Structure formats: C-alpha cells, structure tokens
Amino acid sequence: MAQILDLATRNVWRNRRRSLTTMVAVAVGALSIVLFGGFVANIFVGIETTMVKTAGHIHVYRNGYFLFGSGDPSGYGIARYRDVMRLIEQDAEMKPMLEVVTPRLQLSGIAGNFAENVSKTFLGVGLVPSDRERMIAWDAYKALVPVPSYGLDDARPEEAVVGVGMARMLHLCRALGGKNCPTPPAKAVAAQTQEGAALAALATAEGTAEGTADGKGAEQAPAGATARIDLLAATASGAPNAVPVTVIAAKSMGAKPLDESFVVMPIAQAQRLVYGRGEPRATAIVLQLKSTSMLPAARARLEALFKSEGLDLEVLDFAQLDPWYNQVRGMFTAIFGFIAALMAVIVLFTVVNTMSMAVVERTREIGTLRALGMRRGAIRRLFLAEGAVLGLIGASLGVGLALLLAWLVNGSGMTWTPPNNVEPVPLLVRAAGSPSLLALAWAGLAAVAVLSSLFPANRAARLEIVEALRHA
Amino acid sequence: MPGHAQGPDGDLIRLQGVSKTYRLGAVAVTGLVDVDLALRRERFSVVAGPSGSGKTTLLNLVGCIDRPDKGRIEVRGTDIAGLDDDRLSDFRARTIGYIFQGFNLVPVLSAFENVEQSLRIAGIAGKERRERTRAMLASVGLADKAAHKPDELSGGQRQRVAIARALVKEPALVLADEPTANLDSATGKQILDLMHDMQSRLKTSFVFSSHDPQLVERADDLVTIRDGRVVEVRRAA
Ligand SMILES: Nc1ncnc2c1ncn2[C@@H]1O[C@H](COP(=O)(O)OP(=O)(O)OP(=O)(O)O)[C@@H](O)[C@H]1O
Ligand SMILES: [Mg+2]
C-alpha cells in the first residue's frame, strides 16, 4: 500500500502541469464549498442568534393561542402565569438549561396622537425590559449580531418604543428626531383630522371609565412636542380602554408592515390596557435556553410537566413561531447543495480527463508491469491511488486556502445587512468553526476524485498485455 | 537451480498444435499455424525468421502474456490454459523474466527501484529484496548507477537494468524479443555477452527472438519460423 501510494505520487508528478491543473480544479472546488458553506453557516448562526435574542427558544402559550388566539389576548391569556413560570424555573430538569424565563403580552389596538389628530392601528407587545436586556446578551455562537436595546425600564412602565414608520404616521418625529423620520406635509395632516378627533373623544370618554391604575387618563396627556400617545384596546370584558404612554424612541423594525405598527412597552402597562383592573395575564411565557442543542430536551420536559400538572398549555419553538427561519435555511441549503454538486461535477470531469490521458500515455508501461506479473487489481489500485493523491492534495490545498481566506475576511471587518435585519452585521465565514463542513469538502472531493479514477483505472486494468506492449 | 521443475523429458516448454490468428476487422492475419515445439531447459534458444513470420507471437505465447486460439502450451509442466488471469500473473511473476526491445523501464523509478519492482511483484519482501537487487545490479555492472533514473542512462545501460530486472527473481525462463535491435552492434555484443554469461552462471533458460546473426550463432537451440510455421529446429549438443 505504501509502495502503491509512493508510485502513485511519483506518477502524479510526471506530468506536472496537467496534475497541477487538476489539483487546482479540486482545490477551487473545495475552496468554493468551504467559503460558501462557511458563509451560509454564519447566516444560519446569525438568524438563529437574532431569533433567540429577541424571541427566545420556546414560547409557552395557552392551547390554541398560536392558531386562533393572537387577535384575542384577553381570551387566551395564561392565568396565574407567575405560578407557571415558577413551576418551570424550579423544575430540577429545566433549571440547568434555562437562561431567561419571562412573560410577554401580545396585544393590538389603536394608537392615537390626539394632539396632532392622528391615529393608527398598532401591534404591541408588553415585556419585562430587564429580562429582555438579559436575552439580547445571549451569544452562544459569538455571532456578534447586534440587537439594540429598547432602552425601556421596569421602573418606568409608561414608557414605550415604536417603529419608525409608526412614529412617522403619528407625527412623533419632531419630538423624537432620528433617521427616516420626516415631518409629514401639511395636506395629509388635514385629511386625518376628523377620524383622529372622533377617536380622541372615545379615548376621553372610555379610558377614564374603565380606569387605569395610576389614574392618568388620556385627556391628561400633554400636547405639543412631547411624544405622548394613547393606546386604545378592548379589555377582557369587551369594554374599550385606553392608556397613555410616552414614546421615548423610534426604532427601525426591519420589515415595513411591522415598522409601521409596532409598539413595545413594559408588560405592566400592556396588562393595564388589556385587563384593566382584572387579573393580569400574559399571552406567552418565553424561555431562553443556554444552548439551542437543549431545545428538544427542554421541549419534552415542558410538555411532560404541563401534562402532569394538568395545564392546558402548548409549547412552540422559535422555528415553529417563525416559518421564515426554516424557509431561509431551506433556501440556503438548496443553494449550497447546488454549488457543492456543481463543484463535484467539475472535479469529476477534470479527474476523469486527467486519468484517462495518463492511462493512454502509460499503456506500454501498464503492459510491461502486467508482463512482469502484476495483477489487474494492482494496476487498478495504482490508478485509483493516483486519483486519490490528486484529490487529497487538491482538497487539502483548497481547504487550507479557504481557511486562510476565511481568516482574512473575518479579520477585515467587512459587514453586510442580512434580509429583515436593521443593522449591518460582521461578514464572517465560519470555516474553522465548522469542522463537519471542512470534513465534507475535503473527504467529499477526495472521494469524488477516487470515484472519477475508477473508470480510467478499470480501463487500464482491462488492457490486453500484448496490445498494450505494441502501443507506441 | 532448485525448484525449477521440468517436463517429463527435460523440456521446459512444450507447444502442441498451437495456432494463433489475429483479426483486423474482417481480415484474419496468421500469427502461428499448428506449431509443435519443445525447448530444453537451461539453454540459450533463439527463434529466428523474417519480419512478420511470427517470432513475437511465439514469444508472447511462451511468455504467458497471450493465449493461443488452439493447441496446448506447457511451461515448466504447467498447462497455462488452466490458469485464470490472476494465477497466470502470479505464474509470470515467479517463473518468467522479460527483456524488451525498447527496454520498457518504468521512468519514475530509479535503476535500483526498477529491478526491485520485479521482486515486489514476485512478493519478495524487505531486506532480502534489497540485497538481491543490489547484488544483481552489481553483476550487470551498474552498482554505481543504482540511483539513476532511466532517462539518465545510455541505451546499453538501460538494457542492463532490464536484464537485471528480468534475472533478479531467478526465473526459470527469460524471454527477450529482439533485445539488441535498439542498440548499436558494439553495445549489442556487450549485452549479448552479459546475457550469455548470466545464462551459464544462473542456469536459467533463455529464449530470444532475433534476426541478429551474432545471436543466431550463439544459440544452443535454433528455431526457424516462416509464415507462422516452424520450418527448422537445430539443436546443438
Ligand atoms: N496484434 C496484432 N494484430 C494484428 N496482426 C498482428 C498482431 N500482432 C501480430 N500480427 C501479425 O501477425 C504476424 C506475425 O507477427 P509477429 O509480430 O509475431 O512477427 P515477427 O516475426 O515478430 O515480426 P518482426 O520481426 O517484424 O517483429 C504478422 O503478419 C503481423 O502483422
Ligand atoms: Mg516481433
């Protein structure tokens, strides 16, 4: 075997230029697979990290909420959610996996800036600001994808953050400033006035009637340059309710529809709006795990726990919550597969060509070795070994070069903005960090090279000795 | 030489009714026709005849690198028709040495490695292989050229390497198809002397094909063929 490899290596160097060209083809194949694979791996990691930072790994809902209830927070709120959270946090099996356990309340309604006579439907979420700060610190993969803080505070429940589009439409830009937040032209303002006035009247009438805990009604909201708005929604009892919030910032939310309707606030304020004086609930208990690999175990444990406690709760992971995650993964996996297959085909043709030429050139030598008593199988192995040497050197070269290039790219500080992202993220190629990718490219292409040599090697082995010796 | 079994009557090679026809498309070309022939062991046999008479065809059959269409070939008492391709390869590896007109050395291997290759194929391992190789290179006068690649050697030196390669495994039979045709006559004579010398030292049987009168003169057994038929067999004492 060592002898065959030695002989194969020497034969590879016989036609230096042809062998080098072949190795370069294999190397380019390996390089492309590793670089693109590393880029895709980084996209996956980036998307996953962003999702885990913002949405956590697992959402616990009242059964049916995910399919039917998101428009009805009052109907699908989790009763005594703090007890459920405690149950999860204190479970011996869950405890070591948990990073953050936090409640969220999803709600919708109408947001009005009645000082400006404008209003708009909103999609809102109430959350625990300090828990969110802990969640956005999660970075198990060192993905370095920044998720900005909302700047909210547990102690100031009346503060809120809105999407830039929302701020624009509610004429909050003068007060908030910032990019992409112009003040609207005068004409458009006039058209909205009537509707706004009607809603303002409603807010004044009903907001105080249902009562807000701190007693601040919508009518008390100071007008002018401060970014005060009122949020209106139907309470659990079906009565309209309103709470005032102070918008402290407008943040870009990526996708336009969300940007134009999103309001985030501390959960206490959201609960005040949805449940009034009733029992405050949450629509979701959000769990962030220490590592995504714990997801299946955590899921299984939660389901068992809820079953044994007789709780009518459902467990969804982040991929289920947002089908976009699997769609993006599927798309990039398909592109990667296509590129890998293309590279394999290029390597296949190159190696078949090189080895076929080698067999033809060395026909007489094959005849000589056979006459000396070499078996057909040994001839076959000799040419297969040559293909393997070409493949292994080429693939090693390619993988090595890919690691070097990845290192250079990663150190260059280049950034890019992935779809649905707000801020640019570092352009990273996860080559060294993806050993399975490296192994796949290396062993895969080496295997393709050996397989490609099979046909020429068999032809060499089948040569008739006498014919081969007559060959010029 | 121990282990060199022989035919019942001391013949190394026996051909009975051997025919070989080549096909070039629809045309059949006669190689050999109904050849009966026996060659004695430990002799210097020469197959002579004009170009196209079938000398190479005969040597290929005797050397077990080709099979006849008809007839029976025995080498050292083994009927080669009974051996499959791998067994026949192993038989060649142990029993038959080849010397080619064009030397046919493996260009990526040094003189030493070319000779050693033949022992590798014969399955001889390690130290013994290296020592036999060294000794054989020395006896063909190339001890100082062991590390040279074939393209760094002259024609005569290359043929010496080829002779060493054929003889190093101590085969019962060495076949040489016009071994001096590619050499000038002085070098050809040296090569011939070397082979003659080796043959009498090692008691190996040599079978040559040649039109070279120098060679024909020295033959113990001289077989003359024409148009694929044996026309004369002359045996020296
Ligand atoms: N592979 C082949 N295909 C077709 N015809 C062949 C083949 N090999 C030999 N022949 C023919 O068979 C006949 C005998 O050829 P062979 O090579 O045995 O002659 P030779 O005596 O060795 O000739 P030379 O002295 O020129 O080498 C010739 O007519 C030759 O053309
Ligand atoms: Mg001939």
Side-chain angles (χ1 to χ4, degrees), chain A residues 116-185:
Chain A
E116 291 272 324
N117 270 333
V118 287
S119 67
K120 197 190 168 310
T121 54
F122 76 90
L123 273 175
V125 66
L127 44 70
V128 180
S130 59
D131 285 347
R132 187 174 188 277
E133 293 303 311
R134 286 198 291 139
M135 281 178 71
I136 61 176
W138 191 92
D139 200 9
Y141 302 107
K142 307 218 182 325
L144 308 176
V145 287
V147 171
S149 164
Y150 288 135
L152 295 171
D153 192 322
D154 297 4
R156 294 195 298 276
E158 73 290 351
E159 291 181 350
V161 170
V162 299
V164 174
M166 184 82 168
R168 215 161 46 221
M169 294 191 178
L170 292 180
H171 300 192
L172 302 173
C173 290
R174 198 178 312 136
L176 297 171
K179 263 197 305 197
N180 291 328
C181 200
T183 308

Side-chain angles (χ1 to χ4, degrees), chain A residues 3 6-7 10-11 14 364-365 367-377 464-467 469-470, chain B residues 60 65-66 85-86 89-90 92-93 98 100 102 104 106-110 113 117 120-121 149 165 169:
Chain A
Q3 141 82 0
D6 173 48
L7 203 58
R10 293 192 202 193
N11 280 322
R14 215 153 143 176
R364 237 171 113 96
E365 188 179 318
T368 305
L369 291 170
R370 293 276 286 124
L372 293 182
M374 200 178 258
R375 290 186 179 190
R376 289 191 197 276
E464 288 302 326
I465 304 173
V466 170
E467 294 301 319
L469 285 171
R470 280 163 61 95
Chain B
N60 289 344
I65 57 173
D66 205 357
D85 198 85
D86 280 352
S89 298
D90 297 347
R92 284 195 302 273
Y98 253 100
F100 302 91
N104 291 15
V106 179
V108 292
L109 299 181
S110 68
E113 289 163 334
Q117 175 87 44
R120 277 184 197 279
I121 295 172
K149 292 276 167 66
R165 178 175 69 178
K169 61 189 178 188

Side-chain angles (χ1 to χ4, degrees), chain A residues 49-50 53-54 136 139 143-149 416 421-426:
Chain A
T49 303
T50 306
K53 280 178 174 216
T54 55
I136 61 176
D139 200 9
L144 308 176
V145 287
V147 171
S149 164
W416 73 300
N421 254 50
V422 179
E423 304 203 11
V425 302

Side-chain angles (χ1 to χ4, degrees), chain B residues 94-135:
Chain B
R94 274 181 278 108
T95 317
I96 298 169
Y98 253 100
I99 298 167
F100 302 91
Q101 180 181 334
F103 323 130
N104 291 15
L105 298 176
V106 179
V108 292
L109 299 181
S110 68
F112 186 90
E113 289 163 334
N114 261 287
V115 176
E116 194 186 22
Q117 175 87 44
S118 152
L119 290 178
R120 277 184 197 279
I121 295 172
I124 290 154
K127 201 169 165 215
E128 183 191 351
R129 185 174 70 213
R130 286 189 296 276
E131 266 159 23
R132 279 170 69 174
T133 302
R134 204 167 295 127

Side-chain angles (χ1 to χ4, degrees), chain A residues 19-356:
Chain A
S19 293
L20 276 176
T21 313
T22 311
M23 286 174 191
V24 166
V26 180
V28 167
L31 181 79
S32 316
I33 291 174
V34 171
L35 285 187
F36 187 69
F39 176 68
V40 168
N42 191 55
I43 291 175
F44 289 176
V45 155
I47 294 172
E48 189 187 316
T49 303
T50 306
M51 295 189 79
V52 169
K53 280 178 174 216
T54 55
H57 286 99
I58 289 175
H59 283 199
V60 175
Y61 294 135
R62 263 247 337 247
N63 219 342
Y65 172 77
F66 186 59
L67 291 180
F68 311 108
S70 50
D72 183 10
S74 45
Y76 283 90
I78 302 170
R80 295 170 57 220
Y81 67 90
R82 289 199 175 85
D83 293 341
V84 179
M85 284 170 61
R86 205 167 304 123
L87 176 75
I88 296 169
E89 282 168 330
Q90 288 174 359
D91 181 66
E93 217 175 297
M94 290 301 295
K95 211 171 193 168
M97 297 194 268
L98 294 171
E99 192 69 54
V100 179
V101 180
T102 185
R104 284 201 186 162
L105 176 59
Q106 193 123 30
L107 67 164
S108 57
I110 295 171
N113 181 356
F114 301 121
E116 291 272 324
N117 270 333
V118 287
S119 67
K120 197 190 168 310
T121 54
F122 76 90
L123 273 175
V125 66
L127 44 70
V128 180
S130 59
D131 285 347
R132 187 174 188 277
E133 293 303 311
R134 286 198 291 139
M135 281 178 71
I136 61 176
W138 191 92
D139 200 9
Y141 302 107
K142 307 218 182 325
L144 308 176
V145 287
V147 171
S149 164
Y150 288 135
L152 295 171
D153 192 322
D154 297 4
R156 294 195 298 276
E158 73 290 351
E159 291 181 350
V161 170
V162 299
V164 174
M166 184 82 168
R168 215 161 46 221
M169 294 191 178
L170 292 180
H171 300 192
L172 302 173
C173 290
R174 198 178 312 136
L176 297 171
K179 263 197 305 197
N180 291 328
C181 200
T183 308
K187 224 201 220 142
V189 177
Q192 283 188 327
T193 309
Q194 259 191 334
E195 191 198 351
L199 283 160
L202 180 74
T204 316
E206 305 293 339
T208 41
E210 183 76 23
T212 52
D214 59 2
K216 262 198 258 171
E219 81 276 19
Q220 290 166 313
T226 53
R228 294 293 300 259
I229 58 169
D230 289 282
L231 302 178
L232 287 81
T235 60
S237 57
N241 190 16
V243 295
V245 293
T246 304
V247 177
I248 57 165
K251 304 256 182 198
S252 176
M253 298 294 162
K256 191 168 187 284
L258 193 65
D259 196 49
E260 291 179 345
S261 60
F262 193 62
V263 180
V264 58
M265 68 202 97
I267 192 168
Q269 190 76 341
Q271 284 168 335
R272 206 163 291 144
L273 181 56
V274 175
Y275 301 108
R277 288 201 179 101
E279 181 209 350
R281 296 180 174 189
T283 50
I285 296 169
V286 173
L287 273 65
Q288 191 183 54
L289 304 175
K290 291 201 157 61
S291 150
T292 304
S293 61
M294 297 166 175
L295 191 50
R299 240 195 114 105
R301 178 60 194 154
L302 284 175
E303 275 161 0
L305 202 60
F306 297 157
K307 201 168 172 204
S308 72
E309 294 292 323
L311 293 167
D312 188 26
L313 299 171
E314 62 183 342
V315 178
L316 287 122
D317 63 43
F318 64 93
Q320 289 171 303
L321 291 170
D322 196 345
W324 184 76
Y325 174 75
N326 279 336
Q327 285 163 1
V328 169
R329 263 193 97 99
M331 183 183 80
F332 275 106
T333 305
I335 297 175
F336 174 76
F338 176 74
I339 288 183
L342 200 68
M343 294 301 144
V345 168
I346 290 172
V347 166
L348 181 114
F349 278 107
T350 313
V351 173
V352 165
N353 182 54
T354 297
M355 294 309 297
S356 299

Side-chain angles (χ1 to χ4, degrees), chain B residues 55-56 177-178:
Chain B
K55 302 184 293 296
T56 299
D177 193 4
E178 307 194 40

